[in-house]
């Protein structure tokens, strides 16, 4: 709701502060008094076009400030958040525009500088202007389907269709992914099978390359190692050394026997030394034998089977060749074998997964189509009801020759989307026999404003969104009497559910308002100024009498004004 409007140095207004309440508010005054300045100031504050010519003569800047009270669930708070504007939902929203005589313009929201685009975006959510020269939202066919859905209470159905569309999109994307994967896998299957056969035939084992390399090196060194071992055995003397040590042992034994025969006892030092010599020779003989046996065992370890080196080299070269072919390290051949085997299994399993995905996509498509068709039927039925409601409003508004309809076009399935497969538009036939067309084909601004009023009167109380402030600029132009009274009735009906501001020359319309502002011009200090005053009951009666009588207000006019107010 618009709660206040402050204007400074704008055209003929030097300083003006207005307060507004709910319901129907009317602005009246003589032609040229400056009523359009008030609406222009509101447009300026909400992001409308501006230029330096709007600045009052002699002033450097002009400004217009509009204060709104918006509920905490209004979508504009999300707009503010996206724009980085600090604001607490539910607090007063102050839109201000400053226009310099030099043409430069600045915009503010709650005293925070913003772009004019942000200001305009907020203004589009807060006010809706219907008038002689305004581009109204109803002219945009893109808004018609949302208006119809909102009026008919189809939000839940639309949400179901959107959810079905998203489910369908996810299922279709998964099906496509599996199709691409299956096609790619089919192309690769023959090559994968060939590579797996090679790996199965070679049967690589973890750590095999290292073991083969060590074995190859050892086998390559075996011949020289055996020669070295033969030389070592020769150096030891082998059997000759054992014979000599045995002969030495026997010689020492004979010497000990001779000493004993000569009377030497076991405690004799000679006998003891000979016994120690026997023991040393015996140990040497034993260790020499062990050394010879160890040399023989080492030689046997190097005695590999014939062709063992060639086999090791052939195996190692085969492993390395396959690794190069597959582009992996030899040590990774077992893992590559498992990977390829897994891919081939996936190709086999993928056929079943593809069948299941295809079934899910088909089910999601069917579910979406069923929900979209149900929504189409609901929209068509709602369109017929709205058409009848608006048509019923046209006669009293002196548009009895015109026709109105809601055209719900069912699109092909390839043009369907998250909001269904419909395109709903508001169409009019201005005269019998004339072709049907969009609202923007109505040539007369007065007719357009009355069509907008008929639509708004039909939609009033049935919409579920946040209703913006509605402004009607001379919607009653060219009508009077009962027609003007019908216009007033419908404006009052709109004002029961929303705030409505109207600029009018019709006393029948003005009499319906809850608040009445009079716009006038006055000369002061050699300059003309526009002023606005809110009328009390007495002055309101006088203003209505002026509107009825013209220049000279008569008692009959005052009586008629009282009758209108009553």
């Amino acid at each position: 709701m618009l709660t206040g409007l402050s204007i400074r140095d704008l055209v003929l207004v030097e300083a003006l502060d207005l307060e507004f309440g709910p319901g129907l508010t009317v602005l009246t005054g003589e032609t040229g008094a400056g009523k359009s300045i008030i609406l222009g100031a509101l447009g300026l504050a909400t992001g409308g076009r501006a230029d330096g010519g709007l600045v009052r003569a002699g002033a450097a800047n002009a400004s217009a400030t509009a204060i709104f009270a918006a509920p905490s669930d209004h979508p504009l708070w999300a707009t503010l958040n996206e724009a980085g504007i600090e604001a607490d939902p539910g607090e007063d929203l102050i839109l201000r525009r400053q226009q310099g005589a030099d043409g430069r313009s600045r915009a503010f929201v709650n005293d925070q500088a913003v772009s004019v685009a942000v200001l305009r975006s907020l203004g589009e959510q807060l006010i809706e202007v219907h008038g002689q020269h305004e581009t109204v939202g109803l002219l945009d066919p893109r808004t018609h389907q949302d208006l119809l859905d909102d009026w008919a209470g189809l939000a839940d159905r639309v949400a179901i269709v959107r959810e079905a569309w998203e489910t369908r999109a996810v299922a279709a994307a998964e099906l496509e992914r599996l199709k691409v994967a299956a096609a790619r896998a089919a192309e690769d299957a023959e090559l994968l099978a060939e590579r797996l056969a090679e790996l199965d035939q070679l049967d690589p084992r973890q750590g095999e390359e290292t073991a083969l390399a060590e074995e190859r090196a050892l086998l390559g060194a075996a011949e020289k190692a055996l020669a070295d071992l033969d030389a070592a055995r020769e150096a030891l003397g082998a059997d000759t050394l054992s014979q000599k040590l045995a002969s030495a042992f026997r010689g020492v034994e004979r010497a000990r026997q001779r000493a004993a025969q000569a009377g030497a006892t076991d405690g004799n030092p000679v006998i003891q030394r000979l016994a120690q010599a026997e023991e040393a020779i015996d140990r040497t003989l034993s260790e020499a034998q062990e050394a010879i046996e160890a040399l023989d065992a080492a030689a046997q370890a190097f005695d590999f089977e014939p062709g063992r080196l060639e086999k090791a080299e052939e195996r190692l070269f085969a492993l390395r060749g396959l690794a190069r072919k597959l582009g992996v390290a030899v040590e990774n051949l077992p893992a590559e074998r498992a990977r390829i085997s897994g891919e081939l299994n996936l190709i086999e399993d993928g056929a079943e997964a593809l069948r299941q995905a295809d079934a899910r996509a088909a089910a999601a498509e069917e579910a979406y189509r069923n929900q979209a068709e149900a929504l189409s039927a609901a929209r068509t039925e709602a369109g017929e009801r709205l058409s009848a409601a608006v048509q019923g409003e046209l006669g009293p508004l002196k548009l009895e020759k015109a026709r109105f309809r809601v055209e719900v076009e069912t699109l092909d399935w390839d043009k369907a989307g998250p909001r269904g497969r419909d395109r709903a538009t508001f169409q009019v036939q201005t005269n019998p026999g004339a072709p049907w067309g969009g609202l923007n084909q109505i040539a007369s601004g007065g007719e357009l404003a009355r069509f907008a009023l008929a639509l708004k009167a039909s939609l009033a109380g049935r919409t579920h969104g946040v209703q913006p402030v509605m402004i009607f600029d001379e919607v009653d132009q060219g009508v009077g009497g009962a027609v003007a009274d019908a216009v007033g009735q419908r404006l009052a009906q709109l004002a029961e559910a929303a705030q409505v501001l109207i600029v009018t020359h019709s006393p029948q319309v003005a009499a319906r308002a809850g608040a009445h502002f009079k716009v006038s011009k006055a000369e002061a200090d050699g300059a003309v100024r526009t002023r606005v005053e809110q009328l009390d009951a007495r002055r309101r009666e006088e203003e209505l009498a002026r509107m009825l009588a013209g220049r000279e207000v008569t008692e009959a006019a005052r009586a008629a004004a009282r009758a209108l107010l009553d």
Side-chain angles (χ1 to χ4, degrees):
M1 184 179 76
L2 176 67
T3 61
L5 179 65
S6 294
I7 307 171
R8 296 291 184 271
D9 295 318
L10 185 68
V11 192
L12 299 179
V13 177
E14 183 174 2
L16 181 62
D17 296 294
L18 301 176
E19 293 183 359
F20 299 95
L24 181 61
T25 298
V26 66
L27 283 81
T28 65
E30 297 282 1
T31 300
K35 299 184 294 297
S36 61
I37 297 177
I38 309 303
L39 297 186
L42 183 57
L44 184 65
T46 53
R49 295 183 62 181
D51 57 65
L54 295 175
V55 181
R56 184 177 62 84
N61 297 286
S63 68
T65 304
I67 304 172
F68 292 88
S72 58
D73 60 347
H74 198 294
L76 65 84
W77 301 111
T79 303
L80 291 170
N81 185 57
E82 292 173 2
I85 301 170
E86 295 182 5
D88 294 325
E91 70 174 341
D92 282 348
L93 192 64
I94 303 171
L95 309 186
R96 179 164 61 92
R97 183 85 168 277
Q98 182 175 305
Q99 177 63 47
D102 58 2
R104 289 183 291 183
S105 177
R106 301 177 66 192
F108 302 88
V109 175
N110 288 9
D111 289 328
Q112 300 171 62
V114 299
S115 68
V116 175
V118 170
L119 203 65
R120 186 181 305 114
S121 175
L122 294 172
E124 290 172 351
Q125 298 179 63
L126 289 166
I127 66 172
E128 188 176 89
V129 180
H130 305 276
Q132 299 294 304
H133 308 291
E134 303 294 336
T135 301
V136 298
L138 293 175
L139 291 182
D140 187 353
R142 292 174 298 181
T143 68
H144 296 174
Q145 188 154 291
D146 287 338
L147 286 170
L148 176 63
D149 290 346
D150 191 30
W151 178 79
L154 299 178
D156 290 343
R157 284 185 178 271
V158 173
I160 291 172
V161 170
R162 185 181 300 277
E163 183 178 355
W165 169 267
E166 292 172 353
T167 301
R168 168 191 174 278
V170 170
E174 176 64 11
L175 177 60
E176 184 62 25
R177 185 190 69 80
L178 288 175
K179 284 182 177 179
V180 171
R184 185 172 59 245
E187 294 176 358
D188 296 343
E190 184 176 349
L191 177 61
L192 290 174
E194 179 183 329
R195 290 181 173 179
L196 183 62
E198 290 183 88
L199 285 164
D200 287 342
Q201 182 178 0
L202 191 60
D203 190 22
R205 294 178 294 278
Q206 196 70 39
E208 187 177 7
E209 181 187 26
T210 301
L212 285 171
E214 291 177 353
E215 182 180 6
R216 178 191 177 202
L218 186 61
L219 289 171
E223 185 176 349
K224 292 182 178 180
L226 285 172
D228 292 336
L229 288 175
D230 286 341
R233 200 173 191 282
E234 183 66 26
L236 282 175
D239 296 338
T240 304
L241 175 62
S242 298
Q243 294 172 0
K244 289 180 177 181
L245 287 172
S247 177
F249 182 85
R250 288 193 297 273
V252 173
E253 176 63 22
R254 286 194 299 270
R256 189 176 67 79
Q257 290 174 355
R258 293 180 187 282
Q261 291 173 359
T265 63
D266 290 342
N268 186 281
V270 173
I271 295 299
Q272 291 177 350
R273 297 288 187 278
L274 289 171
Q276 291 174 355
E278 283 182 348
E279 291 176 0
I281 292 171
D282 186 55
R283 286 197 306 273
T284 301
L285 180 61
S286 176
E287 290 177 358
Q289 189 62 38
E290 288 179 5
I292 292 170
E293 291 174 357
L295 286 173
D296 291 341
Q300 289 177 0
F302 278 100
D303 187 16
F304 298 108
E305 63 182 273
R308 179 69 178 273
L309 176 60
E310 289 76 8
K311 290 181 180 179
E313 287 184 337
E314 182 180 346
R315 175 73 176 175
L316 184 60
F317 293 156
L319 289 170
R320 288 176 175 174
L322 185 55
R324 282 194 302 273
K325 180 178 179 179
L326 300 181
V328 297
V330 173
E331 62 184 14
N332 292 331
L333 283 175
E336 182 70 3
R337 181 184 187 185
R339 185 190 69 79
I340 293 175
S341 177
E343 282 200 21
L344 286 171
N345 289 335
L346 284 177
I347 291 173
E348 296 176 2
D349 297 340
E352 177 59 28
L354 188 60
R355 284 191 293 272
Q356 294 178 5
D358 186 61
R360 286 193 299 270
E365 178 70 24
E366 182 180 5
Y368 168 74
R369 292 195 175 200
N370 289 339
Q371 295 297 340
E373 287 175 351
L375 179 58
S376 295
R379 279 177 174 151
T380 299
E381 188 273 334
E384 293 173 353
R385 288 189 288 112
L386 181 57
S387 297
V390 175
Q391 190 65 47
E393 295 287 340
L394 296 180
L397 294 175
K398 204 176 180 180
L399 294 169
E400 60 276 352
K401 292 184 179 181
R403 294 292 180 267
F404 174 88
R405 72 181 182 187
V406 179
E407 178 73 12
V408 180
E409 179 186 2
T410 302
L411 305 175
D412 293 335
W413 283 113
D414 60 352
K415 296 180 180 178
R419 298 170 66 238
R421 61 181 303 205
D422 311 311
R423 181 163 52 217
T425 56
F426 299 159
Q427 297 184 358
V428 295
Q429 185 185 55
T430 53
N431 291 291
W436 288 90
L439 292 174
N440 57 356
Q441 295 185 7
I442 301 175
S444 166
E447 285 185 344
L448 178 58
R450 278 181 282 154
F451 261 106
L453 177 57
L455 265 169
K456 285 298 181 181
S458 301
L459 295 170
R462 295 293 300 277
T463 54
H464 301 77
V466 179
Q467 179 64 55
V469 180
M470 287 182 285
I471 300 171
F472 290 88
D473 186 8
E474 299 187 11
V475 67
D476 51 358
Q477 185 187 49
V479 299
V483 175
D485 187 55
V487 171
Q489 287 180 354
R490 277 141 186 83
L491 288 168
Q493 178 184 342
L494 280 179
E496 292 175 0
Q499 186 183 29
V500 179
L501 275 66
I502 179 168
V503 175
T504 183
H505 288 288
S506 170
Q508 291 90 341
V509 173
R512 299 277 183 177
H516 190 152
F517 290 88
K518 180 181 178 180
V519 183
S520 60
K521 285 196 296 189
E523 187 174 343
D525 300 326
V528 177
R529 296 285 181 267
T530 292
R531 66 177 185 176
V532 181
E533 55 182 336
Q534 185 169 2
L535 303 181
D536 57 20
R538 183 187 62 79
R539 288 187 295 170
R540 186 179 183 191
E541 179 185 309
E542 193 70 14
E543 173 65 5
L544 290 179
R546 180 199 65 76
M547 296 171 72
L548 285 164
R551 181 180 299 275
E552 183 178 349
V553 178
T554 65
E555 285 303 321
R558 291 188 178 93
R562 284 192 294 274
L564 284 176
L565 289 171
D566 290 340

